[in-house]
Structure formats: C-alpha cells, structure tokens
Amino acid sequence: MRRITSAEASTNAGELEIDHGGAIAVDTEQLREVGARLRTVASRFAEAREAVRRAQALLSSPAQADPQVDLGALRRSGDQVGKLGAEIENAGAGTLLMADAFEVVELRAQAEALALTDAAAANEAQARADELVEADARLGTMADWLVAGWKRQRFDGLGDQYDPDGPLPSVFVASALVGVASGLGKVRPGMVLSGAADPVRVTPVKTTTPNAPTGLAAAFRRVPGSTAQVAVEKYTMVGGATRYVAYIAGTRNSLPWQAGESEPWDMKSNVELYQGGPSASYQATLDALTAAGVEPGDRVDVVAHSQGGMIAARLAMESAFEVSVMMTAGSPTEPSLTDDQTLLQLRHTDDVVSALAAGGSAEGTGSPDSFTASRVGDPHGGIQDLRLQTHGLETYVATAEMVDASDDPRAEAVDEYWEELGEAVEVERIEFHAERAG
C-alpha cells in the first residue's frame, strides 16, 4: 500500500469517521513535512511582497514616475500578498505545533507501554516528551486536549441502548469500564499467551477457487459462516510466489453454561484470549493454517470479526507467520503492531464488544497507512440492541461498504492491496471446521 500524505485530522463520510486511531490523526512526520512545505510557500510570498514594495518605491520616485501605473492598486496588491503570506506562515507554524503535540501523545503512550517490558526505553520516551513540553508549554495542554477528545468520542452511543427495565445501558457502559480499568483491551509488546490450550480437531469442509476480493466489504463477506470458523486462501502470484489470507469468524456460541463444550469459538475462548491465555479457537486457527500448507515465515494477512480479532492480534504479534495486513471488525482488543504492519479497524462506538478494547490506545498502532473507521452502528434504540445488532458482522459489512465508497486517501490507498491480490494467477480457498477434542 502507498504511504498517505493527507494532513486531514479525520474524514466524515456520512456517519463514518476515519483516522489513524486513538488521539492521533496522521503520521507526525508527514504532518511536519506539510508544515515545512507551507513555510516554504510563505517565504515565497514574503519575497513577492518585497518585490512589490521595491517596484512601488521605484515608481514613486520623480525620475521613474509613470502615470499609467496605479500606485494605489500596486500597494493594495502588495498588502494582499503580505497577508496571504502571513496566513500561510501561521498555518505552517500551527501544523508543526500540532505535529509536536501528536508526538507528545505518542511518547507518553509509548512510555506507558514500554514500562511493562523496558524501563530504560520508557524513561527515554518520557524524557523526550517532557523536553518537548518544557520547550513549549502549549504542547502539554494540546496533548491533554487531544487525548480528552478521543476519550469523549470513543464510546458515542454506547449508553443509548434499548432500555426495557432500566439497567441495560449501564451494563453496556460497564463493558467500556472493564476495558479501561483492566488494561486488557490493548495487547502490549511482551504480553504473550501463556498456558496450554484445550486440544482441538480441525477438518477441511469445503474447497473452492474464488476470485480475489475487490474491496473491504467483499473481504468481510468471506469470513466463514455456517459450520466453518476459519478459511484460508492461497494466492499464487505471477512467478510462482505464494501468499495467504486467513478469514477468522467471531464467537459462535455465547451461552455461558455451554462454555468449554465442543464449539471452540465460545465464551471460554473469549475469556482466555482477553485475559492473555491460549484458547482452543487460537490453536484451531494455527492448525488450520498448517493444514492449508502455510509454513513459518509465510505471509498471512488476516480478516477477522469479533473473537477472530483477538486471534488475529496474536497471529500478528507472536506467531511464526508474517502478518503484514490485519483487518478487524468489532474486535475486543487492539494489537500493538510495528511500523511495517498495517491495521485496518472497523469499530462501532455503540458496540459493547468493541468497547472492551477501551477505544484502543491514544497513540494508535501500526504503519502510517493504518486507520480506524468508526461510527455509531445503530443510532436507533430498539429490541435489536438485545441481539447486539451493532456488533453483528452484517452491520460491520455495511460500515466496510462506507469505507470502500469513501474518498479519504487512507481508504482509497487500500485499493492497491486488492489490486495486488487480483494479480494472482490462482486462488485456492479451504474452509475448516474445528471442535474441541477432549
């Protein structure tokens, strides 16, 4: 995917908002590049203003006076050029200031995350943030404002659910508090799965040869339904190189009293993954990839819904596979990806399951091409709230369609990914059904 150079903080396409995730709107280095260019343009206006002044002074002298030249109009033109230059200079300075504020947010968040694994690096990040704020006190206030704004918006609509007896909205809001208080909604570096998963049995149930998906909505429609929980597509490219895309389903059985039975995509796996333990569903995904012929080091991109998002996070952060692109819808967690991994997240601010991620993290995650597309999934309270309709894959497919239709450059850049997959000379898809073997 190409690198995004837009300096827009966010883009609204109807109800949709697209940003880098968290309180960070754009990549700070790209923002600085824009600020520097604006200041370069401002300097050219300053040069033009000086040229007009020199011309005005020359033509005002008795020796060079020319009655055909309107000196008043020339002066006004020079003043207008000066005003435009000043406005551009202010815009450039403001853009650079905002880039520094974003960096303070990033550094503070990095310090908090690194405190778990690398105290020295955490102290270094915090010292850099303190240094920036000491040099310009406005940055501390702006950084606080950015984070506060993100915190206010990340759960829009969550408390506006259908309320037959009174307590339901409070229950929904409590899920956000769980994510915030526990800190488990963000998978930090060094937080690896520990323990043993329940044994599973994985069986291929369907093989097809589809074309590559042509958009985000088409990709999420490929998340398996019915009996399969995982699908693996093998793409053979021109020249013989291969790559894979895994599609991982969300929770299949959410009844607490049936947790731990034959269905691996259940509440037991949800709790295990959220709390940092290996689940039967994660092990089944690994087994399905192996059964599909994927080997350590192979590129495996991931498209996942709900519980599948937690599985995808672990594949991207600790598996033996190379996950370059990860697309999730309504995931209860957010991974900490590296700068060469791209994360495309779909989130509904009124989704009780997505709220467990606590809005992700203030600094966002992944490459500069990463983005979060969010909206209120269901602004109308009704009985559908009891069925968690706003968390359903169908509702997220509708959001994906909005992303596909958006003219935001971050969304448009994803088209190159689909074009790459479309160049494959062969596509093989295998769907797998898994069940606990114990």
Side-chain angles (χ1 to χ4, degrees):
M1 280 186 263
R2 67 181 172 85
R3 218 168 162 79
I4 304 305
T5 57
S6 170
E8 294 178 317
S10 64
T11 297
N12 291 318
E15 301 172 299
L16 191 69
E17 181 173 293
I18 298 176
D19 57 34
H20 186 62
I24 307 301
V26 295
D27 179 53
T28 54
E29 290 307 313
Q30 293 178 0
L31 201 58
R32 286 195 176 96
E33 182 179 344
V34 171
R37 288 179 178 178
L38 285 171
R39 300 193 82 169
T40 298
V41 172
S43 69
R44 299 292 185 269
F45 272 79
E47 293 171 1
R49 174 68 180 107
E50 286 303 314
V52 172
R53 283 179 177 174
R54 289 194 300 269
Q56 181 183 353
L58 179 63
L59 293 171
S60 297
S61 66
Q64 300 293 331
D66 186 342
Q68 296 182 348
V69 176
D70 187 341
L71 294 179
L74 184 61
R75 176 183 56 77
R76 289 191 296 272
S77 297
D79 290 343
Q80 187 62 29
V81 169
K83 288 179 181 178
L84 288 172
E87 290 176 3
I88 295 172
E89 171 64 27
N90 288 335
T95 301
L96 293 172
L97 182 66
M98 184 58 73
D100 287 342
F102 281 141
E103 184 172 358
V104 171
V105 173
E106 289 178 327
L107 288 168
R108 287 175 174 176
Q110 288 173 15
E112 181 180 352
L114 289 169
L116 300 173
T117 57
D118 191 337
N123 291 336
E124 182 179 346
Q126 186 61 54
R128 172 59 180 155
D130 294 342
E131 180 182 336
L132 287 170
V133 173
E134 185 177 347
D136 189 335
R138 294 176 297 174
L139 295 177
T141 301
M142 292 176 67
D144 292 341
W145 171 75
L146 286 168
V147 174
W150 161 66
K151 287 181 176 179
R152 284 194 305 270
Q153 297 173 7
R154 57 184 170 164
F155 303 125
D156 283 352
L158 191 61
D160 301 328
Q161 308 291 329
Y162 177 60
D163 191 12
D165 298 315
L168 187 60
S170 297
V171 172
F172 276 54
V173 172
S175 68
L177 298 179
V178 168
V180 172
S182 69
L184 297 175
K186 177 71 173 181
V187 184
R188 304 284 184 181
M191 295 172 61
V192 297
L193 298 176
S194 60
D198 293 338
V200 291
R201 180 170 48 252
V202 175
T203 306
V205 293
K206 185 178 181 180
T207 301
T208 55
T209 55
N211 294 322
T214 56
L216 196 62
F220 276 106
R221 288 192 184 98
R222 295 196 181 200
V223 172
S226 186
T227 59
Q229 303 103 331
V230 182
V232 182
E233 293 179 353
K234 177 182 179 181
Y235 289 78
T236 302
M237 312 304 291
V238 176
T242 58
R243 55 194 288 186
Y244 299 85
V245 178
Y247 300 84
I248 310 174
T251 302
R252 289 296 174 79
N253 188 342
S254 59
L255 299 176
W257 55 87
Q258 293 183 358
E261 296 185 3
S262 61
E263 174 57 68
W265 269 255
D266 63 354
M267 292 306 294
K268 183 174 189 287
S269 288
N270 272 326
V271 172
E272 289 169 339
L273 285 167
Y274 193 72
Q275 294 183 343
S279 69
S281 56
Y282 179 66
Q283 185 59 52
T285 302
L286 294 175
D287 292 349
L289 289 167
T290 299
V294 187
E295 298 181 354
D298 284 347
R299 175 171 176 174
V300 182
D301 296 332
V302 188
V303 179
H305 172 238
S306 188
Q307 181 181 145
M310 292 194 287
I311 297 170
R314 297 300 181 168
L315 288 174
M317 292 182 64
E318 60 181 275
S319 78
F321 308 117
E322 178 190 336
V323 177
S324 298
V325 178
M326 174 177 162
M327 308 178 192
T328 65
S331 175
T333 62
E334 178 183 271
S336 297
L337 300 187
T338 58
D339 289 343
D340 59 353
Q341 293 176 298
T342 296
L343 174 62
L344 310 182
Q345 297 185 102
L346 303 184
R347 292 199 177 276
H348 295 155
T349 56
D350 57 338
D351 177 1
V352 63
V353 177
S354 180
L356 289 167
S361 55
E363 78 277 17
T365 185
S367 73
D369 291 328
S370 299
F371 65 79
T372 298
S374 60
R375 68 180 180 109
V376 177
D378 179 19
H380 308 293
I383 195 68
Q384 71 276 7
D385 291 336
L386 297 177
R387 301 192 301 270
L388 301 185
Q389 178 173 298
T390 189
H391 179 64
L393 180 58
E394 298 81 5
T395 309
Y396 274 110
V397 167
T399 302
E401 290 174 340
M402 295 173 70
V403 175
D404 288 336
S406 172
D407 59 1
D408 185 286
R410 288 158 289 202
E412 290 183 335
V414 186
D415 292 341
E416 295 185 12
Y417 178 77
W418 310 122
E419 291 170 3
E420 286 179 12
L421 291 184
E423 294 173 357
V425 296
E426 184 179 14
V427 182
E428 304 171 76
R429 176 183 170 96
I430 306 176
E431 297 184 12
F432 294 89
H433 170 75
E435 58 185 27
R436 284 189 175 88

